[in-house]
Amino acid sequence: MACPLCDGDSVALPVLPASMLSDGRVLHEPLRRRSCLSCGVGFAWPQPEAQTVTAWFEDGYALPERAPASDARRAAAYAEWIGPVAPGPPATVLDAGCGSGALLAALAARWPDARLTGFDPAVAQDGTGLAGARLLRGGEGRVAGEAFDLVVSVNAIEHTPDPRRFLASLAAAVAQGGMLVLVCPDGECVGAELLIADHLHSFSRDALLHLARSVGLEATQHDRRNGFQRLALSRGAAAELGSGTLDATALAGERAELLQSWVEFDARLSADLPASLPAFGAGEAAALLRAYAPDAWARTSLLMLDDPGDAWPLGRPVVAYRPAETPGAPILLAVSAASEPALARRLRADGWAPIGTASLLGDRTSA
């Protein structure tokens, strides 16, 4: 089957029986992926209809509201990453896929005189958001005919059924001499991103460069951080970045191995669990367990968290973390693989017997 970006050959990846949206909602339909053997993009197949994707985000999409404090911290970190490569200080800024508007607020703190605009299907209605930003409900068509010194798009392009059209619309919104800064998950860092149903594309560096050039943009910078990648793009810029040394066949193999580990994960995890136990964690990692390890999830009695206010609504009671009342009591770790070792040491010191999940998945995913 041809790749939708470069027309190269692609291979099918292992299929999971259910799927999960990025805000934790479970879809009772299989998760199906393919991986391109040329540009390295991973993609959902068949691609959902555009109206289906729009409905996901317009109909109760709640990720920005799940944990407002965490949302603000992430936005501040993205603003710090975007700022040094932006032409500045920009007079006008567009955030394509602005979510809660937290990134616009963080950029306003950096450039207080900038006029800020954001659009997103999940915006409840047109209005004014944080820091006085203009927020528009809808997709890229909401700013047709307008031009901005800086266009940013953070963790949006992977959600689009037609990334070429999306990127072309953003290119058209860049003013003469302006810049587009694109941030999205790093598709070469194989992990839980593949498990998110509304991540319709998982971009390698080469795939992003191919896509940008197809809409008349050239990349002046590309770098990676903590499983994400940042691309600075301009019209008329000299071609500064060439293709990398991607082994797309090896990447497809890594993706297949990860998804196959999730096919087997529930049975392997459940085999070592008692009939009932608490879990530590109530965010994305716990939501992934609920979606893809339902037998193990059925054994969780409650969720512990340092700040219960950051908990996603996952259908379990949420309580503030406390040390074990009975030494050696089991507790399931429902946190990212990166967080698991330090958390396990902390819980052991508090009398718990933590049961990790990362070793079952090769330490490559956030469950």
Side-chain angles (χ1 to χ4, degrees), residues 10 47 49 84 98 100 114 134 184 211 229 237 249 252 268 270 303 311 320 334 349 353:
S10 69
Q47 286 281 307
E49 297 291 333
C98 62
S100 68
R134 176 177 60 138
C184 67
L211 185 62
Q229 55 188 328
T249 299
R268 295 173 64 193
S270 298
L303 307 178

Side-chain angles (χ1 to χ4, degrees), residues 262-272 292-293 295-296 299 360:
W262 273 95
V263 170
E264 303 166 359
F265 177 63
D266 195 18
R268 295 173 64 193
L269 178 60
S270 298
D272 295 327
Y292 297 112
D295 289 346
R299 304 187 189 200
L360 298 177

Side-chain angles (χ1 to χ4, degrees), residues 34 38 84 132 162 199 237 337 355:
R34 298 186 70 87
S38 295
D162 189 343
H199 285 200
I355 299 172

Side-chain angles (χ1 to χ4, degrees), residues 80-358:
E80 287 298 314
W81 201 17
I82 291 167
V85 299
T92 53
V93 177
L94 171 68
D95 183 0
C98 62
S100 68
L103 176 59
L104 284 169
L107 294 174
R110 189 179 188 96
W111 301 306
D113 296 327
R115 297 194 308 277
L116 307 168
T117 299
F119 66 78
D120 196 299
V123 169
Q125 60 185 11
D126 291 1
T128 302
L130 301 171
R134 176 177 60 138
L135 298 184
L136 304 174
R137 177 178 171 86
E140 60 268 18
R142 290 307 314 272
V143 293
E146 299 185 52
F148 301 84
D149 297 330
L150 174 64
V151 177
V152 300
S153 182
V154 175
N155 299 336
I157 192 170
E158 67 272 16
H159 299 283
T160 61
D162 189 343
R164 183 175 285 107
R165 190 181 77 172
F166 177 76
L167 196 58
S169 74
L170 301 192
V174 177
Q176 186 67 33
M179 178 177 287
L180 166 61
V181 179
L182 189 71
V183 176
C184 67
D186 182 356
E188 295 176 50
C189 183
V190 177
E193 189 240 339
L194 286 173
L195 301 169
I196 308 300
D198 50 299
H199 285 200
L200 305 180
H201 296 86
S202 181
F203 294 100
S204 67
R205 175 185 181 274
D206 284 0
L208 279 181
L209 293 178
H210 173 87
L211 185 62
R213 288 168 183 152
S214 74
V215 300
L217 296 172
E218 283 291 345
T220 57
Q221 290 193 44
H222 176 274
D223 60 347
R224 296 179 162 105
R225 180 186 295 178
N226 300 328
F228 293 86
Q229 55 188 328
R230 180 191 66 181
L231 199 65
L233 299 159
S234 299
R235 281 198 307 269
E240 297 186 22
L241 299 179
S243 297
T245 58
L246 174 69
D247 185 337
T249 299
L251 179 59
E254 291 179 29
R255 288 170 172 161
E257 184 179 350
L258 176 73
L259 289 175
Q260 183 59 39
S261 71
W262 273 95
V263 170
E264 303 166 359
F265 177 63
D266 195 18
R268 295 173 64 193
L269 178 60
S270 298
D272 295 327
L273 293 183
S276 178
L277 79 166
F280 187 103
E284 181 188 76
L288 288 169
L289 290 176
R290 182 179 69 162
Y292 297 112
D295 289 346
W297 180 256
R299 304 187 189 200
T300 62
S301 55
L302 59 86
L303 307 178
M304 289 188 174
L305 209 60
D306 289 324
D307 182 359
D310 274 346
W312 291 19
L314 298 174
R316 292 286 185 275
V318 179
V319 301
Y321 171 73
R322 56 180 180 263
E325 297 177 358
T326 304
I331 187 170
L332 182 65
L333 302 186
V335 298
S336 69
S339 302
E340 190 172 290
L343 178 64
R345 290 192 294 271
R346 173 189 167 194
L347 268 57
R348 287 192 194 98
D350 285 343
W352 292 102
I355 299 172
T357 59

